[in-house]
Each structure stands twice: as structure tokens, then as C-alpha cells.
Amino acid sequence: MHEMSLAEGVLQLIEDAARRDQFNKVSAVWLEIGQLSGVEPEALAFCFDAVTRGTVADGARLEIITLPGQGWCEACARTVPLTEVFGECPQCGSYPLQVTAGTDMRVKELEVS
């Protein structure tokens, strides 16, 4: 389950920010997760709850913002929405598409005290 290592990475970012910015408690975390990232939001939320116990983020609310996938079709020269990495162009049915958005995951915001 790679969501556990992702949750541990998010916690590391939070703890680094807590030391740098000198806060003691995180009450909410907003994550942006691309639709094409391969991350299962429910599994990540479960893992986040597990890894944050006893830390500065213990009990923090996890808000997940799903970002849509997007790609460039060379055949029809359009930016198109994608729901899968190796899908066909929804406009012209061509393959392959170059994925241009929706593969990332990032911490967008922390609510701290």
C-alpha cells in the first residue's frame, strides 16, 4: 500500500513546517490529489489517521481536493479531459495523449494553532 508511505511523507512535510514556522498543532490539512495520480483517497485518509497519532497533526481533519486529469491530443490539437492515463481522446478517439495535468499530489494548505 503506497498510500502509507505517502501519508508518512505528508506528515514529514507537516513536521518540517511546524519546526520552521514554530506552531504546535495542526487542525486541518488540505491535499490536492490528481485524478490520474494512482492515489486512493480513502486509503490515504485511513493511513493519514494512523501515522499522525501522537504527532503535531494528531486529530487533524484531512480535506482532499481532487484535481481532474487533462491531456494534449496531437491528432486534434486540443487539450482534453482525461479519466485514465492511457485513454483515448474524447474528441477524436485518437491515441496516444500526452498527460498534462492530474498526476500530482501536494499539500495545499495547513490550518495551525
Side-chain angles (χ1 to χ4, degrees), residues 3-14 26 28-35 37 39-49 51-52 60-68 104-111:
E3 282 80 2
M4 183 61 80
S5 63
L6 292 172
E8 290 170 342
V10 169
L11 177 59
Q12 185 64 54
L13 291 171
I14 292 168
V26 175
V29 178
W30 283 265
L31 289 181
E32 291 181 335
I33 300 176
Q35 187 177 17
S37 67
V39 176
E40 292 293 329
E42 296 83 15
L44 181 62
F46 176 82
C47 293
F48 180 81
D49 286 342
V51 302
T52 57
R61 185 178 77 250
L62 182 63
E63 298 287 339
I64 296 176
I65 302 161
T66 303
L67 300 177
D104 298 335
M105 181 180 114
R106 75 179 184 113
V107 176
K108 180 179 183 195
E109 187 176 342
L110 300 175
E111 183 177 298

Side-chain angles (χ1 to χ4, degrees), residues 71-84:
W72 173 256
C73 177
E74 288 187 33
C76 66
R78 293 183 185 191
T79 298
V80 295
L82 292 180
T83 57
E84 57 185 341

